[in-house]
Amino acid sequence: MSTGRSVTPMGPAELVQAAAMARRFYLEGKSKIQIAEEFGVSRFKVARVLETALERDLVRIEIRVPAELDAERSDALRSRYGLRHAVVVESPADAADDAPDPENLGEVAAGLLGELVHEGDVLGLAWGRSTIHMAAALHRLPPCTVVQLTGVYDAGTAERGSVEAVRRAAQVSGGEAHPIYAPMLLPDPATAAALRGQTGIARAFDYFDKVTVAAVSIGSWEPGISTVYDMLSEDERAHYASLGAAAEMSAHLFDAEGRRIGRDLGERCITVEADRLRRIPEVVAIAGGQRKAAAIGAVLRSGLVTSLVTDTAAADYLLNEFTPGARPALDRADPDGVG
């Protein structure tokens, strides 16, 4: 970093002293007081010399992050929405407007989980393509328990879906795995209630209140972008659309303002309840792409999410086209009580 100012040249003694002080401060990590004592000057003198070293280009500060991360958008998104963590990944150059979440979101989210999860935590994983990609990319996790937060999209593909994601995360961490061998959506509330009472599923549900970090996906209310949308009949899709469905997360539906709608659908689903989700200290959403941008904004408004891994396409919409109102991730408001 250089100010580019035009200033009077420094003499050789000044240059040598400034370089020495800068080395002590920036490379050796000494405090200004320690440097002042060593050179027999005041700490205010040290501060002026260090400032001059920057002005004269004796010191250049570079802030570098991996090329695929956009630090400026990440910080802007975190600040605007009151998120604990926001990580924005460069959208692939060849990504189509209707493409699903970029796979590199899962890789970056895997790295973020490595930072957020601590020994003894309970990690919850919800169904979603992004969370499955994330689990596949995991290489390090401290010892923790891993629990599945939703049923599977198709019980016949459980080995390649959320059950396998839970197993993978538990294998990496060396902790216990609590998968759910049941579909996410059932034909009626009675069947769903009966399944929730089965031993294995009930054991997983018992862990929901102990989850400390959760990873979830977000879908917009359209085919191919929402798992729940794809599982419903045409009449059911039209019904929830008439209620204003704009986004879906873990089988919970939200309108554009972040209010939860279609609570009757939740009675037919094997999933973590919205209120339990809201009480989880850290909920990381993984979603990106232009088609999901508005849905991501709706879920952020709900207050259920505390952190976000997304791409530049979605981030630009969230920063330029979408108004969050309050900073919902800080408030953790109840989406059933909004409006």
Side-chain angles (χ1 to χ4, degrees):
M1 179 178 69
S2 173
T3 62
R5 297 179 187 174
S6 176
V7 290
T8 304
M10 298 174 71
E14 291 176 312
L15 285 168
V16 170
Q17 184 185 66
M21 288 184 177
R23 186 177 298 109
R24 304 290 193 279
F25 186 74
Y26 291 108
L27 299 182
E28 299 176 12
K30 291 186 176 180
S31 70
K32 293 175 183 176
I33 293 176
Q34 290 173 315
I35 298 170
E37 290 175 351
E38 178 183 347
F39 286 87
V41 298
S42 72
R43 61 186 176 89
F44 302 104
K45 167 72 172 179
V46 173
R48 287 196 300 271
V49 170
L50 292 175
E51 182 179 354
T52 301
L54 285 171
E55 293 174 350
R56 308 296 177 93
D57 284 342
L58 290 178
V59 175
R60 295 188 180 186
I61 299 174
E62 292 184 351
I63 300 173
R64 294 181 177 179
V65 295
E68 70 271 16
L69 300 182
D70 191 309
E72 186 175 349
R73 285 185 176 92
S74 297
D75 187 57
L77 204 59
R78 179 200 57 78
S79 177
R80 185 167 190 186
Y81 287 85
L83 295 163
R84 292 202 183 98
H85 305 279
V87 182
V88 177
V89 179
E90 288 288 344
S91 300
D94 57 351
D97 290 348
D98 59 350
D101 296 324
E103 290 192 19
N104 59 346
L105 292 187
E107 297 171 4
V108 173
L112 180 59
L113 277 195
E115 296 180 49
L116 299 181
V117 177
H118 299 90
E119 183 173 352
D121 277 350
V122 177
L123 171 62
L125 299 181
W127 159 265
R129 296 179 185 90
S130 296
T131 52
I132 292 170
H133 289 151
M134 178 202 68
L138 283 171
H139 295 294
R140 66 180 180 92
L141 273 180
C144 64
T145 299
V146 186
V147 60
Q148 193 170 324
L149 296 178
T150 63
V152 298
Y153 174 37
D154 181 348
T157 62
E159 292 302 315
R160 300 187 299 276
S162 46
V163 169
E164 181 56 31
V166 169
R167 287 176 172 169
R168 166 67 182 167
Q171 180 184 33
V172 172
S173 74
E176 295 182 4
H178 294 277
I180 294 177
Y181 296 98
M184 182 189 296
L185 179 65
L186 282 304
D188 54 70
T191 304
L195 278 177
R196 291 189 200 103
Q198 290 187 358
T199 303
I201 297 174
R203 186 180 299 116
F205 268 65
D206 286 342
Y207 272 94
F208 287 178
D209 286 330
K210 303 173 186 177
V211 173
T212 50
V213 180
V216 300
S217 294
I218 295 172
S220 55
W221 195 242
E222 55 182 309
I225 308 295
S226 165
T227 300
V228 172
Y229 183 99
D230 291 340
M231 288 190 289
L232 295 174
S233 68
E234 287 291 343
D235 288 344
E236 289 171 324
R237 294 169 185 168
H239 167 66
Y240 293 117
S242 71
L243 298 179
E248 176 257 318
M249 179 180 68
S250 303
H252 299 294
L253 305 184
F254 304 87
D255 67 13
E257 298 301 318
R259 293 179 290 248
R260 197 161 71 93
I261 62 171
R263 296 173 184 81
D264 59 315
L265 180 65
E267 296 174 0
R268 296 168 50 195
C269 292
I270 303 297
T271 186
V272 60
E273 300 93 327
D275 191 54
R276 276 176 154 176
L277 195 62
R278 183 170 58 89
R279 294 197 299 268
I280 296 174
E282 185 74 76
V283 179
V284 181
I286 312 161
Q290 291 186 18
R291 287 182 68 183
K292 283 192 177 182
I296 295 168
V299 172
L300 290 181
R301 275 180 166 171
S302 77
L304 293 180
V305 168
T306 61
S307 296
L308 176 67
V309 178
T310 190
D311 68 344
T312 52
D316 284 344
Y317 174 87
L318 294 169
L319 290 170
N320 300 318
E321 306 294 335
F322 191 83
T323 303
R327 303 208 295 171
L330 291 178
D331 301 334
R332 300 304 298 275
D334 183 353
D336 290 345
V338 177

